[in-house]
Amino acid sequence: MRTKGFTTLIIVLTGLLMSGVDGAAYAEGSCPAGYVFSIEDGARIHRSSGLTSPVDGIYYTNHDYRVHQFLGGTSTTPDWVNLTDVTTGVSGWVNGSVATCFALTSPSRSN
């Protein structure tokens, strides 16, 4: 019974994480199923998708954000991510080198 409850908890948490809730840890519609989105602390938010574009803000991991679009790259490692830092209200583009999708992993089971 304990295993069933734990499995249910994992399924519910995974569903919540992938449901499109805005937040510092996960993003709406940004990653394939089974992946979570992550942005490095101190990521620069550029006005357009280019490193020479002016920086309008800095993202910090304690900020909330909403992802709007991935540009280029792959579904898990985009070249650019268009987002809004909900905490500061700054919208723009974050380079894919500091924003990526990570696969969810299952807890280890000991026999």
Side-chain angles (χ1 to χ4, degrees):
M1 194 70 156
R2 190 168 210 232
T3 303
K4 182 179 179 185
F6 181 74
T7 302
T8 302
L9 176 63
I10 294 297
I11 291 169
V12 169
L13 287 174
T14 302
L16 287 173
L17 296 177
M18 301 309 295
S19 67
V21 175
D22 296 333
Y26 309 99
E28 181 175 334
S30 60
C31 297
Y35 287 78
V36 294
F37 186 65
S38 176
I39 306 172
E40 289 181 18
D41 196 49
R44 295 179 187 134
I45 302 173
H46 292 269
R47 192 168 297 160
S48 63
S49 56
L51 290 175
T52 58
S53 173
V55 174
D56 290 333
I58 304 292
Y59 169 80
Y60 295 102
T61 55
N62 63 336
H63 290 189
D64 292 331
Y65 64 85
R66 178 177 296 124
V67 169
H68 306 292
Q69 176 185 11
F70 274 12
L71 181 66
T74 68
S75 62
T76 57
T77 54
D79 292 334
W80 288 92
V81 179
N82 181 249
L83 57 78
T84 298
D85 182 326
V86 177
T87 304
T88 63
V90 174
S91 291
W93 294 86
V94 173
N95 188 272
S97 66
V98 295
T100 191
C101 295
F102 293 101
L104 292 173
T105 57
S106 301
S108 300
R109 292 186 180 172
S110 57
N111 292 337

